[in-house]
Amino acid sequence: MTQSMNNFELQTGESAIVLSRAIMLYSRQGAQGSLGDFLYATQHKVENFGTEADPDFQIAAGQPVTREAIVAMFEQLAKQLTLNVDFLPENVLSISADHMVWWMPACERNVFFNTKELGKRAAKVPHPGLVFAVVKSNWYVFALTGSERPKLDTPLCHAPYFNVYDDGSICAGSAARPVGIATGAIPQWEAAFFDSEFTHINGGERKASHPRGEYALWKELLDGVYQQFPVEYLVPKESTIAGLMKAIRKLMERK
């Protein structure tokens, strides 16, 4: 039995990984396919039956999987998921197999807007220091008033962006999120946030204290009024980096 597929690969940080083997699980006809239903397993190589220019990757004929092979495979996967051998740069605040928190210093980056109030606009504007967090399938961003690397007692502010909810979670929309958690993927996570269109304000809390509102703040930023982001308009979240870490631990404890 073979199954045709494209040249399937995943981008994980600075390198790509490709599909090389497949395991097929068999159960009785009519079973729901839950973990307790499987009775037999086969392992298969994934081979290119086409050419390098026109690949045709397929799951080739297989052979029975032994108990020893399954145990060895999952032990190896467990090591890969729990051990992170990336060099930890200064901007990484916390990392594990299921989460990563990092700091982006204040800088200038392009932003893209597509709203009724601002129209369709793009410009390179100043941004405050930011803290990003990826926890399992959740993605968050928060703002900082200071310019130094945050500590546990550093206060957090609402990120003053559209497409961000009151709890800091990011509405990804059509943004292509990177696969996997690795320090090498940080530029891709940041690009996924900044390269997507900001289309609407999420949540009920104000994300910026500009006297004429958030649209007025971003209009001024797009018009080049500020050389640095006006941090006096950031709204405190009544939380700190330590509070964020505590919330992350709770999320990671959920199944």
Side-chain angles (χ1 to χ4, degrees), residues 165-242:
Y165 292 99
D166 295 342
D167 65 350
S169 58
I170 297 169
C171 176
S174 60
R177 292 170 42 148
V179 176
I181 295 175
T183 59
I186 286 177
Q188 295 158 357
W189 281 104
E190 293 178 356
F193 179 71
F194 287 108
D195 293 350
S196 61
E197 286 187 332
F198 294 126
T199 57
H200 57 282
I201 294 176
N202 291 66
E205 298 182 25
R206 279 186 93 181
K207 309 298 191 303
S209 61
H210 189 285
R212 296 194 306 278
E214 292 152 274
Y215 286 107
L217 171 62
W218 281 104
K219 184 179 186 304
E220 291 178 353
L221 285 163
L222 291 164
D223 289 343
V225 172
Y226 305 103
Q227 292 186 342
Q228 294 181 332
F229 187 91
V231 295
E232 64 269 21
Y233 293 144
L234 292 176
V235 176
K237 266 197 67 65
E238 298 183 358
S239 184
T240 62
I241 294 291

